[in-house]
Amino acid sequence: MNRVIVHSDINHCYAQLEEMRNPALRHVPMAVGGSAEKRHGIILAKNDLAKAAGVLTAESLHEARRKCPDLVILHPDYEAYMYCTEQIKDIYRQYTDRVESFGLDEAWFDLTGTKRLYGDPLELARRIQQEVYQCFGIRVSMGVSWNRVFAKLGSDLDKQMGFTVITPENYRELVWPLPVEELIMIGRRTQLKLNAMGLFTIGDLAQTDGMAVTRRLGKIGGLLWRCARGFDMSPVLCSGHQEQAKSVGSSKTLVHDVTTLQQLRQVCRVLCESPSPTPPPGCGPQACGGGSSPWPCGARTCAGKGRIRSG
């Protein structure tokens, strides 16, 4: 492969981080979830014992407790999760400056050109995976390919410390049989449009007429067709890169129903004051300090926690 792109995915991220904080949780069915009272009452992540009991991500807390009466539900601590996942990504940054986050739990990193320093890039990726586990006790699945799209697909194929290599020689066997919705950027509506064209697998999409997909879906159709064929050559962005925001927005889940125009105006006033495309200065995982850490890795509270946050 002329490029070696790795995609890492922290399995059951929030649940694993809570188990790192309190190892006793590994021996009971546990999930991280919202608050039913505040209408955020869904399962965000669950450990293996909860999964074995039938608990599903994104289902209601009520349904999860019906399946597993002994389920321990913890409220999420996003500031600590952010800090700890950045510590994990700092391991990647020891070997390359091209580390691009994709949410808290996922990241791409580019090991192209590291052979003279660290040896075979594939073996380096395996060593990094083991280093994360040894340092944090966190299981990370990894996919390796010559492009970002297939690397992400690879990390999804085996979620238990998996390590999948997708090459120009084997991608037709590994990637093309997968459902078309497994391809990044394909949501439910796009899936239905592709299915209506008779395209149900990534291979179906790759082997159809690209112009027909473009005519049906527009510009994104051509992009998806190229990705399915392995033509994605987009670079992994350098650490710290920030694209200019194209839009800003704000949202909030209300605890109670809004029944009057006056109440609606009050909500709108708060939302209009809070939109921001970037965190305030000093906020972020590298700017945390003060107070004792609730985490073995030394996570602290965020310096920007006083900012009004929407969502």
Side-chain angles (χ1 to χ4, degrees):
M1 293 187 295
N2 59 351
R3 294 201 303 168
V4 181
I5 308 298
V6 183
H7 183 270
S8 69
D9 188 354
I10 303 174
N11 313 136
H12 314 307
C13 179
Y14 299 165
Q16 273 208 82
L17 293 175
E18 291 291 352
E19 289 177 340
M20 181 182 71
R21 182 184 186 181
N22 181 2
L25 293 172
R26 294 171 179 160
H27 306 294
V28 298
M30 179 270 293
V32 177
S35 168
E37 293 77 16
K38 295 182 178 179
R39 298 190 180 183
H40 294 289
I42 64 170
I43 299 296
L44 302 174
K46 74 279 185 190
N47 68 2
D48 290 334
L49 291 177
K51 181 179 179 181
V55 176
L56 302 175
T57 301
E59 74 178 348
S60 69
L61 302 187
H62 174 78
E63 180 65 18
R65 283 200 175 101
R66 186 189 66 79
K67 295 177 179 177
C68 183
D70 297 328
L71 183 67
V72 176
I73 297 179
L74 304 176
H75 293 309
D77 186 346
Y78 293 114
E79 291 177 357
Y81 299 162
M82 180 181 293
Y83 188 93
C84 290
T85 54
E86 281 298 312
Q87 294 293 299
I88 292 173
K89 292 169 188 175
D90 279 344
I91 292 180
Y92 310 156
R93 297 182 183 108
Q94 294 175 12
Y95 300 96
T96 175
D97 62 338
R98 291 193 173 273
V99 179
E100 181 181 345
S101 293
F102 190 60
L104 289 183
D105 56 339
E106 300 182 41
W108 285 281
F109 54 98
D110 189 345
L111 297 181
T112 307
T114 62
K115 184 174 182 178
R116 294 183 62 182
L117 288 174
Y118 304 112
D120 179 59
L122 291 180
E123 290 304 315
L124 174 60
R126 291 183 184 274
R127 295 201 303 270
I128 292 173
Q129 185 185 47
Q130 290 300 317
E131 185 175 349
V132 171
Y133 185 73
Q134 292 167 7
C135 290
F136 298 97
I138 296 295
R139 301 186 304 274
V140 177
S141 62
M142 289 188 173
V144 186
S145 189
W146 78 94
N147 67 72
R148 300 186 342 154
V149 172
F150 286 177
K152 177 168 171 53
L153 281 171
S155 69
D156 290 335
L157 291 179
D158 185 354
K159 286 295 188 180
Q160 297 297 324
M161 284 282 285
F163 191 91
T164 304
V165 181
I166 298 176
T167 69
E169 291 73 35
N170 70 7
Y171 77 93
R172 291 177 178 84
E173 291 74 31
L174 292 179
V175 173
W176 281 10
L178 298 174
V180 71
E181 61 268 23
E182 293 294 317
L183 200 64
I184 191 172
M185 298 180 291
I186 294 184
R188 178 62 176 166
R189 293 178 63 183
T190 302
Q191 175 197 345
L192 293 175
K193 292 178 181 178
L194 292 171
N195 292 166
M197 297 176 65
L199 308 177
F200 295 93
T201 68
I202 296 176
D204 292 339
L205 174 59
Q207 296 176 86
T208 195
D209 179 10
M211 290 302 298
V213 181
T214 301
R215 285 193 298 268
R216 180 69 177 87
L217 300 181
K219 183 178 179 181
I220 188 66
L223 176 61
L224 294 174
W225 179 80
R226 291 192 296 273
C227 288
R229 297 179 67 87
F231 293 159
D232 168 46
M233 294 305 292
S234 59
V236 176
L237 301 178
C238 289
S239 299
H241 174 84
Q242 288 187 342
E243 294 187 1
Q244 184 177 359
K246 297 180 179 179
S247 63
V248 295
S250 182
S251 64
K252 184 175 183 63
T253 302
L254 303 180
V255 178
H256 304 291
D257 290 339
V258 171
T259 58
T260 69
L261 184 59
Q262 180 61 26
Q263 291 174 331
L264 182 60
R265 285 172 176 161
Q266 292 174 350
V267 173
C268 290
R269 184 178 300 112
V270 172
L271 293 178
C272 289
E273 292 173 351
S274 61
S276 173
T278 58
C283 178
Q286 304 302 329
C288 297
S292 60
S293 170
W295 297 95
C297 63
R300 300 183 185 274
T301 57
C302 181
K305 64 181 182 179
R307 170 178 176 252
I308 296 177
R309 300 288 297 274
S310 62

